[in-house]
Coordinates of all heavy atoms in Angstrom, one line a residue:
M1 N -38.3 -28.3 -60.7 CA -39.1 -27.1 -61.1 C -38.4 -25.9 -60.6 O -37.9 -25.8 -59.4 CB -40.5 -27.3 -60.3 CG -41.4 -26.2 -60.6 SD -43.1 -26.6 -59.9 CE -44.0 -25.4 -60.8
A2 N -38.5 -24.8 -61.4 CA -37.9 -23.6 -61.0 C -38.6 -22.8 -60.0 O -39.9 -22.7 -60.0 CB -37.6 -22.8 -62.3
D3 N -37.9 -22.1 -59.1 CA -38.6 -21.1 -58.2 C -38.5 -19.8 -58.8 O -37.4 -19.2 -58.8 CB -37.8 -21.2 -56.9 CG -38.4 -20.4 -55.8 OD1 -39.1 -19.4 -56.1 OD2 -38.1 -20.6 -54.6
E4 N -39.7 -19.3 -59.2 CA -39.7 -18.0 -59.9 C -39.3 -16.9 -59.0 O -38.6 -15.9 -59.5 CB -41.1 -17.7 -60.5 CG -41.5 -18.7 -61.6 CD -42.9 -18.5 -62.1 OE1 -43.5 -17.3 -61.9 OE2 -43.5 -19.4 -62.6
T5 N -39.6 -16.9 -57.8 CA -39.2 -15.9 -56.8 C -37.7 -15.8 -56.8 O -37.0 -14.7 -56.7 CB -39.8 -16.1 -55.4 OG1 -41.3 -16.2 -55.6 CG2 -39.4 -15.1 -54.4
E6 N -37.0 -17.0 -56.7 CA -35.5 -17.1 -56.6 C -34.9 -16.5 -57.8 O -33.9 -15.8 -57.8 CB -35.2 -18.5 -56.4 CG -33.6 -18.7 -56.2 CD -33.3 -20.2 -56.0 OE1 -34.1 -21.1 -56.0 OE2 -32.0 -20.4 -55.9
I7 N -35.4 -16.9 -59.0 CA -34.9 -16.4 -60.3 C -35.1 -14.9 -60.3 O -34.1 -14.1 -60.7 CB -35.6 -17.1 -61.4 CG1 -35.2 -18.5 -61.5 CG2 -35.1 -16.4 -62.8 CD1 -36.1 -19.4 -62.4
R8 N -36.2 -14.4 -59.9 CA -36.5 -12.9 -60.0 C -35.5 -12.2 -59.1 O -34.9 -11.2 -59.5 CB -37.9 -12.7 -59.5 CG -38.3 -11.2 -59.7 CD -39.8 -10.9 -59.3 NE -40.1 -9.6 -59.6 CZ -39.8 -8.5 -59.1 NH1 -39.0 -8.6 -58.0 NH2 -40.3 -7.3 -59.5
Q9 N -35.2 -12.7 -57.9 CA -34.3 -12.0 -57.0 C -32.9 -12.1 -57.6 O -32.1 -11.1 -57.4 CB -34.3 -12.6 -55.6 CG -33.6 -11.9 -54.6 CD -34.1 -10.5 -54.5 OE1 -35.2 -10.2 -54.2 NE2 -33.1 -9.5 -54.6
Q10 N -32.5 -13.2 -58.2 CA -31.1 -13.3 -58.8 C -30.9 -12.3 -59.8 O -29.9 -11.6 -59.9 CB -30.9 -14.7 -59.4 CG -30.7 -15.8 -58.4 CD -30.6 -17.1 -59.1 OE1 -30.3 -17.3 -60.2 NE2 -30.9 -18.2 -58.3
M11 N -32.0 -12.1 -60.6 CA -31.9 -11.1 -61.7 C -31.9 -9.6 -61.1 O -31.2 -8.8 -61.6 CB -33.1 -11.3 -62.6 CG -33.0 -12.5 -63.5 SD -34.4 -12.6 -64.6 CE -34.0 -14.2 -65.4
I12 N -32.7 -9.4 -60.2 CA -32.6 -8.0 -59.5 C -31.3 -7.7 -58.9 O -30.7 -6.6 -59.2 CB -33.8 -7.9 -58.5 CG1 -35.2 -7.8 -59.2 CG2 -33.6 -6.6 -57.6 CD1 -36.4 -7.8 -58.3
D13 N -30.7 -8.7 -58.3 CA -29.4 -8.6 -57.7 C -28.4 -8.2 -58.8 O -27.5 -7.4 -58.6 CB -29.0 -9.8 -56.9 CG -29.8 -10.0 -55.6 OD1 -30.5 -9.1 -55.2 OD2 -29.8 -11.1 -55.1
A14 N -28.5 -9.0 -59.9 CA -27.5 -8.8 -61.0 C -27.7 -7.5 -61.8 O -26.7 -6.8 -62.1 CB -27.7 -9.9 -62.0
F15 N -29.0 -7.0 -62.0 CA -29.3 -5.9 -62.8 C -29.3 -4.6 -62.1 O -29.3 -3.5 -62.7 CB -30.5 -6.1 -63.6 CG -30.5 -7.3 -64.6 CD1 -31.5 -8.2 -64.6 CD2 -29.4 -7.4 -65.4 CE1 -31.5 -9.3 -65.6 CE2 -29.4 -8.5 -66.4 CZ -30.4 -9.4 -66.4
E16 N -29.5 -4.6 -60.7 CA -29.7 -3.4 -60.0 C -28.5 -2.4 -60.0 O -28.7 -1.2 -59.8 CB -30.2 -3.7 -58.6 CG -29.1 -4.2 -57.6 CD -29.7 -4.6 -56.3 OE1 -30.9 -4.3 -56.0 OE2 -29.0 -5.2 -55.5
G17 N -27.4 -2.9 -60.3 CA -26.2 -2.0 -60.4 C -26.0 -1.2 -61.7 O -25.2 -0.4 -61.7
A18 N -26.9 -1.4 -62.6 CA -26.9 -0.7 -63.9 C -27.2 0.8 -63.6 O -27.9 1.1 -62.6 CB -27.8 -1.3 -64.9
D19 N -26.9 1.6 -64.5 CA -27.1 3.1 -64.4 C -28.5 3.3 -65.1 O -28.5 3.4 -66.3 CB -26.1 3.9 -65.1 CG -26.1 5.4 -64.9 OD1 -26.9 5.8 -64.0 OD2 -25.5 6.1 -65.6
Y20 N -29.6 3.4 -64.3 CA -30.9 3.6 -64.9 C -31.2 5.1 -65.0 O -30.8 5.9 -64.3 CB -32.0 2.9 -63.9 CG -31.9 1.4 -64.0 CD1 -31.0 0.8 -63.2 CD2 -32.6 0.7 -64.9 CE1 -30.9 -0.7 -63.2 CE2 -32.6 -0.7 -64.9 CZ -31.7 -1.3 -64.2 OH -31.6 -2.7 -64.2
P21 N -32.0 5.3 -66.1 CA -32.7 4.4 -67.0 C -31.8 3.8 -68.0 O -30.7 4.4 -68.4 CB -33.7 5.4 -67.7 CG -33.1 6.7 -67.7 CD -32.3 6.8 -66.4
I22 N -32.2 2.6 -68.5 CA -31.4 1.8 -69.4 C -32.1 1.9 -70.8 O -33.3 1.9 -70.8 CB -31.1 0.4 -69.0 CG1 -32.4 -0.4 -68.7 CG2 -30.1 0.4 -67.9 CD1 -32.2 -1.9 -68.6
S23 N -31.4 2.0 -71.9 CA -32.1 2.1 -73.2 C -31.8 0.9 -74.0 O -32.4 0.8 -75.1 CB -31.7 3.4 -73.9 OG -30.3 3.4 -74.0
S24 N -31.0 -0.1 -73.6 CA -30.7 -1.3 -74.4 C -30.1 -2.4 -73.4 O -29.6 -2.0 -72.4 CB -29.8 -1.1 -75.6 OG -28.5 -1.0 -75.1
P25 N -30.1 -3.6 -73.8 CA -29.5 -4.6 -73.0 C -28.0 -4.4 -72.8 O -27.5 -4.8 -71.7 CB -29.7 -5.9 -73.8 CG -30.9 -5.6 -74.7 CD -30.8 -4.2 -75.0
M26 N -27.3 -3.7 -73.7 CA -26.0 -3.4 -73.6 C -25.7 -2.5 -72.3 O -24.6 -2.6 -71.8 CB -25.4 -2.8 -74.8 CG -25.4 -3.8 -76.1 SD -24.6 -5.4 -75.7 CE -22.9 -4.8 -75.4
D27 N -26.6 -1.7 -71.9 CA -26.4 -0.9 -70.7 C -26.3 -1.7 -69.5 O -25.9 -1.1 -68.5 CB -27.7 0.1 -70.6 CG -27.7 1.2 -71.7 OD1 -26.7 1.3 -72.4 OD2 -28.8 1.7 -71.8
L28 N -26.8 -3.0 -69.5 CA -26.7 -3.8 -68.3 C -25.4 -4.5 -68.2 O -25.0 -5.0 -67.1 CB -27.8 -4.9 -68.4 CG -29.2 -4.3 -68.4 CD1 -30.2 -5.4 -68.9 CD2 -29.6 -3.8 -67.0
V29 N -24.6 -4.7 -69.3 CA -23.4 -5.5 -69.2 C -22.4 -5.1 -68.1 O -21.9 -6.0 -67.4 CB -22.7 -5.6 -70.6 CG1 -21.4 -6.4 -70.5 CG2 -23.7 -6.3 -71.6
P30 N -22.2 -3.8 -68.0 CA -21.2 -3.4 -67.0 C -21.6 -3.8 -65.5 O -20.8 -4.0 -64.6 CB -21.0 -2.0 -67.1 CG -21.5 -1.6 -68.5 CD -22.6 -2.7 -68.8
A31 N -22.9 -3.9 -65.3 CA -23.3 -4.2 -64.0 C -23.3 -5.7 -63.6 O -23.4 -6.1 -62.5 CB -24.8 -3.7 -63.8
L32 N -23.3 -6.5 -64.6 CA -23.4 -8.0 -64.4 C -22.2 -8.5 -63.8 O -21.0 -8.3 -64.3 CB -23.7 -8.7 -65.7 CG -25.1 -8.4 -66.3 CD1 -25.1 -9.0 -67.7 CD2 -26.2 -9.0 -65.5
P33 N -22.2 -9.3 -62.7 CA -21.1 -9.9 -62.0 C -20.1 -10.7 -62.9 O -18.9 -10.6 -62.8 CB -21.6 -10.7 -60.9 CG -23.0 -10.8 -61.1 CD -23.4 -9.8 -62.1
N34 N -20.7 -11.4 -63.8 CA -19.8 -12.2 -64.8 C -20.1 -11.8 -66.2 O -20.1 -12.6 -67.1 CB -20.1 -13.7 -64.6 CG -19.6 -14.1 -63.2 OD1 -18.5 -13.8 -62.8 ND2 -20.5 -14.9 -62.6
G35 N -20.4 -10.5 -66.4 CA -20.8 -10.1 -67.8 C -21.9 -10.9 -68.4 O -22.8 -11.4 -67.7
P36 N -21.8 -11.0 -69.7 CA -23.0 -11.8 -70.4 C -23.1 -13.2 -70.0 O -24.1 -13.8 -70.2 CB -22.6 -11.7 -71.9 CG -21.6 -10.6 -72.0 CD -21.0 -10.5 -70.7
G37 N -22.1 -13.8 -69.3 CA -22.1 -15.1 -68.8 C -22.7 -15.3 -67.5 O -22.8 -16.4 -66.9
T38 N -23.1 -14.1 -66.9 CA -23.9 -14.3 -65.6 C -25.1 -15.3 -65.7 O -25.8 -15.1 -66.6 CB -24.4 -12.9 -65.2 OG1 -23.2 -12.1 -65.1 CG2 -25.1 -12.9 -63.8
K39 N -25.1 -16.2 -64.9 CA -26.1 -17.3 -65.0 C -27.1 -17.1 -63.9 O -26.8 -16.8 -62.7 CB -25.4 -18.6 -64.8 CG -26.2 -19.8 -65.2 CD -25.4 -21.1 -65.2 CE -24.7 -21.2 -66.5 NZ -24.0 -22.5 -66.7
F40 N -28.4 -17.4 -64.3 CA -29.6 -17.4 -63.4 C -30.1 -18.8 -63.3 O -30.4 -19.5 -64.4 CB -30.7 -16.4 -64.0 CG -30.1 -15.1 -64.2 CD1 -29.7 -14.7 -65.5 CD2 -29.8 -14.2 -63.1 CE1 -29.3 -13.4 -65.7 CE2 -29.3 -12.9 -63.3 CZ -29.0 -12.5 -64.6
E41 N -30.2 -19.4 -62.1 CA -30.4 -20.8 -62.0 C -31.4 -21.1 -60.8 O -31.3 -20.5 -59.8 CB -29.2 -21.6 -61.7 CG -28.2 -21.6 -62.8 CD -26.9 -22.4 -62.5 OE1 -26.2 -22.0 -61.6 OE2 -26.7 -23.4 -63.2
S42 N -32.3 -22.0 -61.0 CA -33.2 -22.5 -60.0 C -33.9 -23.8 -60.5 O -34.4 -23.7 -61.6 CB -34.3 -21.5 -59.6 OG -35.1 -22.0 -58.7
G43 N -33.8 -24.8 -59.7 CA -34.3 -26.1 -60.2 C -33.9 -26.5 -61.6 O -32.7 -26.6 -61.8
D44 N -34.7 -26.7 -62.5 CA -34.4 -27.2 -63.9 C -34.2 -26.0 -64.8 O -34.0 -26.2 -66.0 CB -35.4 -28.2 -64.5 CG -36.8 -27.5 -64.5 OD1 -37.0 -26.5 -64.1 OD2 -37.7 -28.2 -65.0
F45 N -34.2 -24.8 -64.3 CA -34.0 -23.6 -65.1 C -32.6 -23.1 -65.0 O -32.0 -23.0 -63.9 CB -34.9 -22.4 -64.6 CG -34.7 -21.2 -65.4 CD1 -35.4 -20.9 -66.7 CD2 -34.0 -20.2 -65.0 CE1 -35.2 -19.8 -67.3 CE2 -33.7 -19.0 -65.7 CZ -34.4 -18.8 -66.9
S46 N -31.9 -22.8 -66.1 CA -30.6 -22.2 -66.2 C -30.5 -21.5 -67.4 O -30.6 -22.1 -68.5 CB -29.5 -23.4 -66.0 OG -28.3 -22.8 -66.0
M47 N -30.1 -20.2 -67.3 CA -30.0 -19.4 -68.5 C -29.0 -18.3 -68.1 O -29.0 -17.6 -67.1 CB -31.3 -18.8 -68.9 CG -31.4 -18.3 -70.3 SD -33.0 -17.9 -70.9 CE -33.7 -19.5 -71.1
T48 N -28.1 -18.0 -69.1 CA -27.2 -16.8 -68.9 C -27.9 -15.6 -69.3 O -28.9 -15.5 -70.1 CB -25.9 -17.1 -69.7 OG1 -26.2 -17.0 -71.1 CG2 -25.2 -18.3 -69.3
A49 N -27.2 -14.4 -69.0 CA -27.8 -13.1 -69.5 C -27.8 -13.1 -71.0 O -28.7 -12.6 -71.6 CB -26.9 -12.1 -68.9
M50 N -26.7 -13.7 -71.6 CA -26.7 -13.6 -73.1 C -27.8 -14.5 -73.7 O -28.4 -14.1 -74.7 CB -25.3 -14.2 -73.6 CG -25.2 -14.2 -75.1 SD -25.3 -12.6 -75.8 CE -23.7 -12.0 -75.5
E51 N -28.1 -15.6 -73.1 CA -29.2 -16.4 -73.5 C -30.6 -15.7 -73.4 O -31.4 -15.8 -74.3 CB -29.2 -17.8 -72.8 CG -28.1 -18.7 -73.2 CD -28.1 -19.9 -72.3 OE1 -28.2 -19.8 -71.1 OE2 -28.0 -21.1 -72.9
L52 N -30.7 -15.0 -72.3 CA -31.9 -14.2 -72.1 C -32.1 -13.3 -73.2 O -33.2 -13.1 -73.8 CB -31.9 -13.5 -70.8 CG -32.1 -14.2 -69.5 CD1 -31.8 -13.3 -68.3 CD2 -33.5 -14.8 -69.4
N53 N -31.0 -12.6 -73.6 CA -31.0 -11.6 -74.7 C -31.4 -12.2 -76.0 O -32.0 -11.5 -76.9 CB -29.7 -10.8 -74.7 CG -29.7 -9.7 -75.6 OD1 -30.6 -8.9 -75.6 ND2 -28.7 -9.5 -76.5
T54 N -31.0 -13.5 -76.3 CA -31.3 -14.1 -77.6 C -32.6 -14.9 -77.6 O -33.1 -15.1 -78.7 CB -30.1 -15.0 -78.0 OG1 -29.9 -16.0 -77.0 CG2 -28.9 -14.2 -78.2
K55 N -33.1 -15.4 -76.5 CA -34.1 -16.3 -76.5 C -35.5 -15.7 -76.1 O -36.6 -16.3 -76.4 CB -33.9 -17.4 -75.5 CG -32.8 -18.3 -75.9 CD -32.6 -19.5 -75.0 CE -31.6 -20.4 -75.6 NZ -31.4 -21.6 -74.8
I56 N -35.5 -14.4 -75.6 CA -36.8 -13.8 -75.3 C -36.9 -12.5 -76.1 O -36.0 -11.9 -76.5 CB -37.1 -13.6 -73.8 CG1 -35.9 -12.7 -73.1 CG2 -37.1 -15.0 -73.1 CD1 -36.3 -12.4 -71.7
P57 N -38.2 -12.0 -76.3 CA -38.4 -10.8 -77.0 C -37.6 -9.6 -76.4 O -37.2 -9.6 -75.2 CB -39.8 -10.5 -76.9 CG -40.5 -11.8 -76.6 CD -39.4 -12.6 -75.8
G58 N -37.3 -8.6 -77.3 CA -36.4 -7.5 -76.8 C -36.7 -6.6 -75.7 O -35.8 -5.9 -75.2
G59 N -37.9 -6.5 -75.2 CA -38.3 -5.7 -74.1 C -38.8 -4.3 -74.6 O -38.7 -4.0 -75.8
D60 N -39.2 -3.6 -73.7 CA -39.9 -2.3 -74.0 C -39.0 -1.2 -73.4 O -39.4 -0.6 -72.3 CB -41.3 -2.3 -73.3 CG -42.1 -1.1 -73.7 OD1 -41.8 -0.5 -74.8 OD2 -43.1 -0.8 -73.1
F61 N -37.8 -1.0 -73.9 CA -36.9 0.1 -73.5 C -37.5 1.5 -73.7 O -38.2 1.7 -74.7 CB -35.6 -0.2 -74.2 CG -34.8 -1.4 -73.7 CD1 -35.1 -2.6 -74.4 CD2 -34.0 -1.3 -72.6 CE1 -34.4 -3.7 -73.9 CE2 -33.4 -2.4 -72.2 CZ -33.6 -3.7 -72.9
P62 N -37.1 2.4 -72.9 CA -36.2 2.4 -71.7 C -36.9 1.8 -70.5 O -38.1 1.8 -70.3 CB -35.8 3.8 -71.5 CG -37.0 4.6 -72.0 CD -37.6 3.7 -73.1
Y63 N -36.1 1.3 -69.5 CA -36.6 0.9 -68.2 C -36.0 1.8 -67.2 O -34.8 2.2 -67.2 CB -36.1 -0.6 -67.9 CG -36.9 -1.5 -68.7 CD1 -36.3 -2.0 -69.9 CD2 -38.1 -2.0 -68.4 CE1 -37.0 -3.0 -70.7 CE2 -38.9 -3.0 -69.1 CZ -38.2 -3.4 -70.2 OH -38.9 -4.3 -71.0
E64 N -36.8 2.2 -66.2 CA -36.4 3.1 -65.2 C -35.8 2.4 -63.9 O -35.3 3.1 -63.1 CB -37.7 3.9 -64.7 CG -38.3 4.8 -65.9 CD -37.3 5.9 -66.3 OE1 -36.6 6.4 -65.5 OE2 -37.3 6.1 -67.5
S65 N -36.1 1.1 -63.8 CA -35.6 0.4 -62.6 C -35.3 -1.1 -63.0 O -35.8 -1.6 -64.0 CB -36.6 0.5 -61.5 OG -37.8 -0.3 -61.8
A66 N -34.4 -1.8 -62.1 CA -34.2 -3.2 -62.2 C -35.5 -3.9 -62.1 O -35.7 -4.9 -62.8 CB -33.2 -3.6 -61.2
E67 N -36.4 -3.5 -61.2 CA -37.6 -4.3 -60.9 C -38.5 -4.2 -62.2 O -39.1 -5.3 -62.5 CB -38.3 -3.7 -59.8 CG -37.7 -3.9 -58.4 CD -36.6 -2.9 -58.1 OE1 -36.3 -2.0 -58.9 OE2 -35.9 -3.2 -57.1
A68 N -38.7 -3.1 -62.9 CA -39.5 -3.0 -64.0 C -38.9 -3.9 -65.1 O -39.6 -4.6 -65.8 CB -39.6 -1.6 -64.5
F69 N -37.5 -3.8 -65.3 CA -37.0 -4.7 -66.4 C -37.1 -6.2 -66.0 O -37.5 -6.9 -66.9 CB -35.5 -4.4 -66.4 CG -34.6 -5.1 -67.4 CD1 -34.9 -5.0 -68.8 CD2 -33.6 -6.0 -67.0 CE1 -34.2 -5.7 -69.7 CE2 -33.0 -6.8 -67.9 CZ -33.2 -6.6 -69.3
V70 N -36.9 -6.6 -64.8 CA -37.0 -8.0 -64.4 C -38.5 -8.4 -64.5 O -38.8 -9.6 -64.9 CB -36.4 -8.3 -63.0 CG1 -36.8 -9.7 -62.6 CG2 -35.0 -8.0 -63.1
D71 N -39.4 -7.6 -64.2 CA -40.8 -7.9 -64.3 C -41.2 -8.4 -65.8 O -41.8 -9.4 -66.1 CB -41.7 -6.8 -63.9 CG -41.8 -6.6 -62.4 OD1 -41.4 -7.5 -61.7 OD2 -42.4 -5.5 -62.0
D72 N -40.6 -7.6 -66.7 CA -40.8 -7.9 -68.2 C -40.1 -9.2 -68.6 O -40.7 -10.0 -69.3 CB -40.3 -6.8 -69.1 CG -41.4 -5.8 -69.4 OD1 -42.5 -5.8 -68.8 OD2 -41.1 -4.9 -70.2
I73 N -38.9 -9.4 -68.0 CA -38.2 -10.6 -68.3 C -38.9 -11.8 -67.9 O -39.1 -12.8 -68.6 CB -36.8 -10.6 -67.8 CG1 -35.9 -9.6 -68.4 CG2 -36.1 -12.1 -67.8 CD1 -34.6 -9.5 -67.8
M74 N -39.4 -11.8 -66.6 CA -40.2 -12.9 -66.0 C -41.4 -13.2 -66.9 O -41.8 -14.3 -67.1 CB -40.5 -12.6 -64.6 CG -39.3 -12.5 -63.7 SD -38.3 -14.0 -63.7 CE -39.4 -15.1 -62.8
E75 N -42.1 -12.1 -67.2 CA -43.3 -12.3 -68.1 C -42.9 -13.0 -69.4 O -43.7 -13.9 -69.8 CB -44.0 -11.0 -68.3 CG -45.3 -11.0 -69.1 CD -46.0 -9.7 -69.2 OE1 -46.0 -8.9 -68.2 OE2 -46.5 -9.4 -70.3
N76 N -41.9 -12.6 -70.0 CA -41.5 -13.1 -71.3 C -41.1 -14.5 -71.2 O -41.3 -15.4 -72.0 CB -40.4 -12.3 -72.0 CG -40.9 -11.0 -72.5 OD1 -42.0 -10.9 -73.0 ND2 -40.1 -10.0 -72.5
L77 N -40.3 -14.9 -70.1 CA -40.0 -16.3 -69.8 C -41.1 -17.2 -69.7 O -41.2 -18.3 -70.2 CB -39.1 -16.3 -68.6 CG -37.6 -15.9 -68.7 CD1 -37.0 -15.7 -67.3 CD2 -36.8 -16.7 -69.7
K78 N -42.2 -16.7 -69.1 CA -43.4 -17.4 -68.9 C -44.1 -17.6 -70.3 O -44.6 -18.7 -70.7 CB -44.3 -16.8 -67.9 CG -43.9 -16.9 -66.5 CD -44.8 -16.1 -65.6 CE -44.2 -15.9 -64.2 NZ -44.9 -15.1 -63.3
D79 N -44.2 -16.5 -71.0 CA -44.9 -16.5 -72.3 C -44.2 -17.4 -73.2 O -44.8 -18.0 -74.2 CB -44.9 -15.1 -72.9 CG -45.8 -14.1 -72.2 OD1 -46.7 -14.6 -71.4 OD2 -45.8 -12.9 -72.5
E80 N -42.9 -17.6 -73.2 CA -42.1 -18.4 -74.1 C -41.9 -19.8 -73.6 O -41.2 -20.6 -74.0 CB -40.7 -17.8 -74.4 CG -40.8 -16.4 -75.0 CD -41.3 -16.4 -76.4 OE1 -41.0 -17.4 -77.2 OE2 -42.1 -15.5 -76.8
D81 N -42.6 -20.1 -72.5 CA -42.6 -21.5 -71.8 C -41.2 -21.9 -71.3 O -40.9 -23.1 -71.2 CB -43.1 -22.5 -72.8 CG -44.6 -22.4 -73.0 OD1 -45.3 -21.9 -72.1 OD2 -45.0 -22.7 -74.2
Y82 N -40.4 -21.0 -70.8 CA -39.2 -21.3 -70.1 C -39.5 -21.5 -68.6 O -38.7 -22.2 -68.0 CB -38.1 -20.2 -70.3 CG -37.6 -20.2 -71.8 CD1 -37.9 -19.1 -72.6 CD2 -36.8 -21.2 -72.2 CE1 -37.4 -19.1 -73.9 CE2 -36.3 -21.2 -73.6 CZ -36.6 -20.1 -74.4 OH -36.2 -20.1 -75.7
L83 N -40.5 -20.9 -68.2 CA -40.9 -21.0 -66.8 C -42.3 -21.6 -66.7 O -43.2 -21.2 -67.5 CB -40.8 -19.7 -66.0 CG -39.5 -19.2 -65.8 CD1 -39.6 -17.8 -65.1 CD2 -38.6 -20.1 -64.9

């Protein structure tokens, strides 16, 4: 079982280096430690940044902070039954 708190923190750590506000997922790529291949993992959950971009809805851009962006990602992961 995935630890949602752990996944959320991994995402904040990965996305917080972006230059906010961001207006598209492409604005995040330079901040990611391994680019689109940056992986978020906990328990039976494993997904790369690229997979997040293709498997969940597009988001409500622009975002003013990593926390706001990650909150939406986490909600979408739950809505799509990934968590």
